[in-house]
Amino acid sequence: MKKILTIIGARPQFVKASAVSRALKTFSHINEVIVHTGQHYDPNMSEVFFREMEIPKPRYNLEVNGAGHGVMTGRMLEKLEPVLLSEKPDLVMVYGDTNSTLAGALTARKLNIPVAHVEAGLRSFRMSMPEEVNRILTDRISDLLFCPTEQAVQNLNQEGYAGFPAQIHRVGDVMYDSALFYSQLAEARASVFPALGLSGKRYILCTIHRQENTDTIGNLKSLIAVLNTLNREIPVVLPLHPRTRKILQQNNIATEFTPIEPVGYFDILMLLKNASIVMTDSGGMQKEAYFFGKYCLTLREETEWTELVENGYNQLVGTDPDTIEMAFRRNIQKPFSDLHKLYGEGNASTQIIQIMANYLKN
Ligand code: UD1
């Protein structure tokens, strides 16, 4: 029996890991232990995902959160090491680009435990983003690199990975697996529509949480200003990240609509499926908009998911209100005539498990 230890801690990782955990259950000779770093801890940022997606209960919760990047990452390293020493996994799995990802990969690497990185090879080419630093460092110390896209593979090749011992596999995107699997369930179980009175109505679905938008007050003010303008025409639904909420309050930035609390996975799927357009600075939501055939305005200057822009499903609009308003008018309810299967066939997690099982045999 082989043991895999999965380290997760932030909202997008719950969505990604759930697909792989589900696929793992079908492999009787691999046992999974889950460690939650505690990075996200509000019930609607964490627990709701475990419940709805039936993610196995973490054996450990390290309760590291609410600190600066260095302190958070350092505390995670300190708390992860004894866990890895006592669990002695054959492989550690990390997801995405958060502080939990880097801390998990680094702890394992220092103990000479092989590391698998799901969502490897993504780059924004902006080193001021904490996520970019986490991605680059995690990729470099991983043994198995699971890339969601062709661009991700190319990024690694450009950085000289052909000469490194790590294995690179393009498997597609585990978030697509999750969206496909849970979309039926969401229809039956989501509660957001009656609660918000949205049935049959047009609306803009928006999320804002990136540091470059929330910590630069000018950017945040511009975004809220344009949302206030658009909301007079078509309602804005803004599930608000706790950090963004705090910063809006501290800076007396007022919305002319009522942002809602962060929603669970079923609700966000339903909100995506029925939206007229999506505006977001989240990485995951850009792809999820595409999965459901919705045009996305990305509230950033660059994206890691460049194939969405190149194929005309997404426009980078930054934070300038005029640019955003113009892009909104051009693209509201723009129907998709063709879906390119940019993120695989919805079987990324099965491929990951098969490759991992082979790797562990050797
Ligand atoms: C993190 C990830 C980001 C990911 C995002 C998804 C890093 C560097 N960033 O950003 O890549 O897209 O998660 O949401 O890891 N907070 C709460 N309740 C919670 C969680 C956080 O109040 O449940 C507060 C924290 O106390 C902290 C702030 O929100 O003050 C930021 O949380 P943090 O996890 O540091 O970063 P995110 O902005 O969520």
Side-chain angles (χ1 to χ4, degrees):
M1 178 69 90
K2 297 285 183 185
K3 188 194 277 185
I4 287 178
L5 192 131
T6 298
I7 299 173
I8 48 182
R11 188 167 55 174
Q13 289 161 340
F14 309 141
V15 176
K16 292 166 196 166
S18 80
V20 178
S21 280
R22 202 160 15 82
L24 256 174
K25 283 182 198 147
T26 61
F27 274 67
S28 54
H29 55 290
I30 301 181
N31 188 13
E32 184 186 32
V33 171
I34 297 181
V35 179
H36 190 321
T37 63
Q39 180 170 350
H40 286 174
Y41 52 92
D42 283 348
N44 55 14
M45 297 286 285
S46 174
E47 194 229 305
V48 63
F49 293 88
F50 282 83
R51 192 177 61 243
E52 290 183 345
M53 305 181 88
E54 296 176 355
I55 305 169
K57 199 174 152 43
R59 186 171 293 173
Y60 303 87
N61 189 322
L62 308 181
E63 294 181 359
V64 178
N65 51 55
H69 288 282
V71 171
M72 195 196 286
T73 314
R75 281 188 191 146
M76 286 177 191
L77 289 172
E78 191 179 350
K79 292 192 165 184
L80 279 168
E81 191 168 79
V83 172
L84 267 56
L85 283 171
S86 92
E87 289 288 345
K88 297 187 183 47
D90 297 290
L91 183 104
V92 162
M93 292 206 71
V94 295
Y95 292 84
D97 55 18
T98 73
N99 294 332
S100 300
T101 314
L102 174 61
L106 189 53
T107 312
R109 178 81 279 147
K110 297 251 181 200
L111 296 172
N112 212 19
I113 300 167
V115 180
H117 183 205
V118 177
E119 211 177 77
L122 295 192
R123 299 291 183 263
S124 65
F125 301 99
R126 185 199 266 247
M127 270 301 219
S128 57
M129 277 177 76
E131 292 86 355
E132 181 77 349
V133 178
N134 292 340
R135 287 180 198 123
I136 291 174
L137 298 179
T138 302
D139 281 342
R140 188 63 189 83
I141 58 177
S142 294
D143 300 274
L144 290 176
L145 295 162
F146 293 116
C147 296
T149 59
E150 188 47 43
Q151 183 62 48
V153 175
Q154 279 177 28
N155 291 340
L156 292 177
N157 286 335
Q158 265 156 23
E159 290 174 22
Y161 275 70
F164 300 159
Q167 292 182 19
I168 299 174
H169 299 276
R170 181 184 171 190
V171 291
D173 194 324
V174 288
M175 286 189 97
Y176 187 41
D177 299 18
S178 286
L180 289 178
F181 183 82
Y182 290 102
S183 130
Q184 292 280 315
L185 280 176
E187 295 275 353
R189 301 208 196 145
S191 56
V192 71
F193 279 90
L196 295 178
L198 284 173
S199 297
K201 294 208 177 127
R202 299 199 314 160
Y203 60 91
I204 299 166
L205 176 61
C206 180
T207 69
I208 305 170
H209 78 271
R210 285 279 168 200
Q211 204 168 289
E212 67 258 32
N213 285 337
T214 57
D215 295 10
T216 309
I217 298 306
N219 285 352
L220 192 55
K221 280 189 175 157
S222 296
L223 289 175
I224 297 300
V226 70
L227 291 177
N228 281 341
T229 307
L230 298 178
N231 181 64
R232 289 173 209 144
E233 225 169 281
I234 155 168
V236 172
V237 176
L238 176 66
L240 207 50
H241 188 292
R243 185 158 53 85
T244 316
R245 184 179 290 279
K246 222 184 296 169
I247 296 172
L248 288 177
Q249 280 162 357
Q250 282 162 356
N251 293 279
N252 293 320
I253 304 172
T255 53
E256 290 177 12
F257 50 91
T258 310
I260 60 174
E261 290 298 318
V263 294
Y265 191 59
F266 293 155
D267 280 342
I268 203 72
L269 289 183
M270 287 307 287
L271 285 172
L272 281 157
K273 268 187 177 182
N274 293 286
S276 304
I277 193 164
V278 176
M279 298 187 183
T280 187
D281 58 10
S282 146
M285 293 264 295
Q286 292 174 51
K287 288 174 296 169
E288 287 165 335
Y290 164 77
F291 300 154
F292 293 110
K294 304 298 167 172
Y295 197 82
C296 180
L297 303 183
T298 296
L299 309 170
R300 293 175 50 195
E301 303 295 338
E302 75 290 297
T303 179
E304 301 76 30
W305 307 104
T306 49
E307 54 286 327
L308 290 173
V309 178
E310 282 154 17
N311 287 287
Y313 301 123
N314 184 323
Q315 186 179 336
L316 295 171
V317 291
T319 56
D320 174 61
D322 293 338
T323 311
I324 296 173
E325 197 174 333
M326 229 152 58
F328 166 80
R329 295 200 189 291
R330 214 173 311 120
N331 296 299
I332 175 90
Q333 265 160 347
K334 186 175 180 177
F336 284 179
S337 52
D338 176 23
L339 293 177
H340 284 93
K341 296 269 175 207
L342 295 173
Y343 300 101
E345 301 291 330
N347 62 358
S349 36
T350 315
Q351 290 188 59
I352 287 171
I353 305 298
Q354 279 162 350
I355 293 165
M356 226 158 48
N358 267 337
Y359 178 85
L360 290 173
K361 258 192 227 152
N362 302 324

